[in-house]
Amino acid sequence: MQSPTEISLGDQLLNAAIIIVAGLVLWLVVRFVINRMVRRVRTGSDLFKKPHFKWAQPVLRTLDHKRRVQRTETIGALLRSVSGLTIAIIAIMMALQALGVDIGPILASVGIVGIAIGFGAREIIRDAFLGFFITLEDQYGIGDTIEVGDTVGVVQSVGLRITRLIDENGAIWYIRNGDIMKVGNRSQGNYVAPVAADEPTGEK
C-alpha cells in the first residue's frame, strides 16, 4: 500500500504532465491559426476586405506575390515565436507549481536575468521591433529601390533584423533595421532621377 506522500507525488507528476500536454496542444492550435491567417493574407483572401477589417486594408494593399509572401512570412514568424515562448513559459511555471515548487524565487531570478539580457540584447530587440514595423507599415519591400544614408540599392530581402539590398555596382549591403533612421523609397510616389548637367563639348 502506497503512503499518502507517494500518492501525493504521483498526483503532482500527473498534474504537471497534464499541464505540459495542454500547453503543447494550445501551442499547436495557436500555430495552426497563425499559419492559416498567414496563408489567407499571402493569397489575398477576401476575408480581410470586409468592413470590420478596414483598419488592416492599408497594410494589405495590393502587392506582388513575392513581396506579399515575404511580408506575411516575417509577421507570421514573429507571431509564432512570441506565442510559443509565452505559452512555454506559462506552462513550465504552472507545471513547477503543480509539483509543489515555490516559483516565487524563480520568478525573481528570471526577472533579474531578463533585465540583464535585455540590456545586453537591446540592440537586437530594437532591430527586431523596427523590422516588424517596417514590414507591417510597408515602408519598403522586395524589389523597391531605396536610399539609406549614402547607399542606394534594390531591396533583396527584409528580415526582422537585417535589410539586404544590392547597389548599382553589384555590392550586397546588409543594413541593421535599428540603424535606419530615415529611408527614401524611389519606387513609391513619382521619383524623377536628376538630370546630369551637360558636359562641355570642347568645340570652339
Side-chain angles (χ1 to χ4, degrees):
M1 183 176 178
Q2 292 180 325
S3 65
T5 303
E6 291 175 337
I7 295 175
S8 177
L9 179 60
D11 290 341
Q12 290 176 344
L13 292 173
L14 179 61
N15 291 335
I18 291 174
I19 291 171
I20 295 297
V21 171
L24 179 60
V25 171
L26 178 60
W27 159 232
L28 293 175
V29 171
V30 171
R31 183 174 180 176
F32 172 77
V33 172
I34 293 174
N35 289 340
R36 186 174 181 182
M37 291 181 64
V38 166
R39 285 195 300 269
R40 287 197 172 193
V41 176
R42 186 171 54 193
T43 56
S45 173
D46 291 336
L47 171 67
F48 295 94
K49 297 178 182 178
K50 295 182 179 181
H52 52 276
F53 281 109
K54 185 177 180 180
W55 59 271
Q57 290 175 6
V59 178
L60 303 174
R61 66 176 182 270
T62 303
L63 301 169
D64 61 81
H65 179 70
K66 186 176 181 181
R67 184 163 175 174
R68 180 183 294 137
V69 169
Q70 179 265 321
R71 292 183 63 202
T72 53
E73 289 299 337
T74 300
I75 295 173
L78 180 64
L79 292 176
R80 284 190 292 268
S81 298
V82 171
S83 59
L85 182 61
T86 302
I87 292 172
I89 291 175
I90 294 175
I92 291 173
M93 291 295 103
M94 292 180 65
L96 290 174
Q97 192 172 25
L99 291 172
V101 177
D102 184 8
I103 63 174
I106 297 177
L107 291 176
S109 300
V110 169
I112 295 173
V113 172
I115 292 174
I117 294 176
F119 277 112
R122 61 183 181 278
E123 295 298 331
I124 296 176
I125 296 172
R126 183 166 174 259
D127 292 342
F129 270 104
L130 290 177
F132 173 73
F133 283 109
I134 286 171
T135 303
L136 184 66
E137 296 170 358
D138 192 27
Q139 296 177 18
Y140 55 81
I142 293 174
D144 284 354
T145 299
I146 65 172
E147 298 179 43
V148 181
D150 57 355
T151 303
V152 179
V154 178
V155 178
Q156 289 190 322
S157 69
V158 183
L160 285 179
R161 290 196 59 244
I162 298 292
T163 291
R164 188 177 72 222
L165 57 120
I166 181 170
D167 66 17
E168 60 181 4
N169 297 319
I172 304 295
W173 292 83
Y174 298 88
I175 303 172
R176 289 177 46 214
N177 295 326
D179 292 336
I180 301 176
M181 297 294 101
K182 182 172 66 174
V183 58
N185 192 331
R186 294 185 178 183
S187 299
Q188 295 176 352
N190 300 309
Y191 172 77
V192 178
V195 178
D198 292 334
E199 295 182 358
T201 59
E203 297 180 358
K204 296 182 180 181

